[in-house]
């Protein structure tokens, strides 16, 4: 009988079920009415009294071992049941839909602007965000002492000397640097639209940010006139803000254009009557523009006697604010999905 008990103990220890059903089977085989232990109990009744004590202890030991093992195995199996359940999932059930993202409003507006100008024959040009003084300032006719070179506006990457050097490395402050790079490698006719990220050393507020986006345009050919510029920009304004949009130009100054102008578009909220957004004027400023200064053409090897051209530059965030009526610039940089989800488009 001792041998039998020991044999069953070994079986209990070595029992390795693969499924819950096997544990139950095992339980019945060991502890069931016709099970091994029941049979041993029966046999125990006929054991000589002097052996009862020891055998009784061993039998009880076997019984509690068996119960403990079964319980432990059941628990173990339950813990892995979660994983199993996933594998046993009904694969014919309809899936949960993936949430689709949406394009960032700045990308949407950029794409729209690029699309409008590409209809006028412009192609996209890009340039580096890490630039040098020559492309951002010098070749755009900025005199050495111009305030835009000041540390307050520009992030310099390398330490500046007293005088700005053409190889000073900096983060571009405007996309006009792409104009220069295009003129350096391409001969007229040139018609490019240049979107990009720009950087300025400014305190962040609802209306200013140290990183923002611009789109630059440049058109150079023989006989390009101010009237061509005006017509192109009016077309742009109507395409972006609607057929009712009007533009006006105010004289301005940029080192790289002469004459220069600031372009306003009629307020699309009040239709020009005057409201809080346009501060009662009926007009909203959207870009700078002008006829490319002969010095700028010359600096990149284009003959100003033969060619003329116009250029313009606008902030994409600014256009987005006017289009969507979102008046805090910071929202465009926070990437809060509750904000971003409101912009959905096929473009
Ligand atoms: N670069 C100017 C700025 O950052 C914008 C601009 C004005 C670009 C006039 C031009 C232009 O090409 O002709 O404020």
């Amino acid at each position: 009988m001792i041998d039998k008990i020991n044999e069953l103990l070994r079986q209990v220890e070595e029992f390795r079920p693969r499924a819950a059903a096997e544990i139950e089977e095992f339980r019945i085989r060991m502890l069931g009415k016709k099970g091994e232990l029941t049979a041993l109990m029966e046999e125990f009744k006929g054991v000589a009294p002097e052996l009862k004590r020891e055998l009784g202890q061993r039998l009880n030991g076997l019984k509690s071992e068996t119960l403990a093992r079964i319980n432990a195995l059941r628990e173990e199996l339950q813990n892995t049941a979660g994983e199993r359940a996933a594998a046993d999932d009904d694969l014919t059930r309809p899936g949960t839909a993936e949430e689709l993202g949406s394009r960032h409003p700045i990308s949407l507006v950029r794409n729209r602007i690029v699309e409008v100008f590409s209809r006028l024959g412009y192609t996209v040009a890009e340039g580096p965000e890490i630039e040098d003084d020559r492309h951002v300032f010098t070749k755009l006719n900025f005199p050495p002492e111009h305030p835009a070179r000041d540390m307050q506006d520009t992030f310099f990457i390398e330490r500046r000397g007293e005088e700005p050097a053409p190889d000073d490395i900096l983060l571009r402050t405007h996309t006009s640097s792409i104009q220069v790079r295009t003129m350096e490698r391409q001969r007229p006719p040139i018609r490019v639209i240049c979107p990009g990220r720009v950087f300025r050393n400014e305190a962040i507020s609802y209306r200013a940010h140290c990183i923002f986006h611009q789109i630059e345009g440049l058109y150079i050919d023989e006989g390009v006139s101010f009237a061509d510029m005006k017509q192109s920009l009016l077309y742009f304004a109507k395409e972006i803000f609607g057929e009712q949009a009007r533009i006006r130009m105010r004289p301005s100054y940029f080192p790289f254009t002469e004459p220069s102008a600031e372009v306003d578009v009629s307020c699309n909220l009040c239709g020009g009557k005057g409201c809080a957004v346009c501060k009662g004027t009926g007009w909203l400023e959207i870009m700078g523009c002008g006829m490319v200064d002969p010095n700028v053409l010359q600096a990149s090897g284009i003959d100003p006697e033969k060619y003329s051209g116009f250029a313009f530059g606008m902030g994409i965030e600014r256009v987005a604010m006017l289009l969507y009526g979102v008046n805090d610039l910071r929202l465009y940089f926070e990437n809060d999905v509750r904000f971003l989800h409101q912009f959905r488009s096929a473009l």
Side-chain angles (χ1 to χ4, degrees), residues 1-125:
M1 191 168 170
I2 285 206
D3 285 349
K4 180 74 182 165
I5 292 175
N6 285 342
E7 163 60 16
L8 289 177
L9 259 181
R10 196 184 53 78
Q11 284 183 19
V12 168
E13 275 163 28
E14 285 174 8
F15 177 50
R16 299 271 180 282
R18 272 156 309 183
E22 277 181 41
I23 302 180
E24 183 58 9
E25 242 170 55
F26 186 73
R27 190 190 65 81
I28 292 168
R29 184 166 77 76
M30 298 298 274
L31 306 167
K33 265 192 193 148
K34 295 178 183 162
E36 301 275 11
L37 265 123
T38 324
L40 279 175
M41 292 295 186
E42 212 42 54
E43 203 183 323
F44 180 72
K45 286 180 187 161
V47 159
E50 65 273 20
L51 292 176
K52 274 215 158 143
R53 193 181 147 87
E54 198 204 332
L55 275 176
Q57 275 176 0
R58 283 187 187 243
L59 254 181
N60 280 336
L62 173 62
K63 194 174 176 185
S64 51
E65 255 328 283
T66 309
L67 277 171
R69 178 93 181 121
I70 285 171
N71 286 338
L73 285 169
R74 275 184 179 154
E75 207 169 302
E76 204 174 285
L77 212 73
Q78 231 159 35
N79 287 343
T80 50
E83 294 160 45
R84 291 261 173 95
D88 293 343
D89 259 354
D90 176 3
L91 297 180
T92 62
R93 277 173 59 202
T96 39
E98 277 286 323
E99 266 239 52
L100 279 185
S102 50
R103 251 183 237 292
H104 194 282
I106 297 303
S107 304
L108 289 178
V109 173
R110 181 201 54 209
N111 292 351
R112 271 180 72 176
I113 298 172
V114 165
E115 197 265 325
V116 168
F117 282 103
S118 65
R119 267 186 265 150
L120 295 178
Y122 288 71
T123 53
V124 172

Side-chain angles (χ1 to χ4, degrees), residues 15 28 107 119 128 134 136 154 158 161 181 210 282 286 302 342:
F15 177 50
I28 292 168
S107 304
R119 267 186 265 150
R134 189 173 46 234
V136 175
T154 308
E158 284 180 357
R181 290 197 174 267
C210 55
I286 54 163
I302 291 174
Q342 298 174 62

Side-chain angles (χ1 to χ4, degrees), residues 173-174 176 179 200 214 216-217 254 256-257 288-290 311-313:
T173 53
H174 54 180
S176 304
Q179 276 190 34
R200 289 189 195 175
Q214 284 188 333
E216 188 82 12
F254 299 102
F256 34 92
T257 44
C289 69
F312 54 89

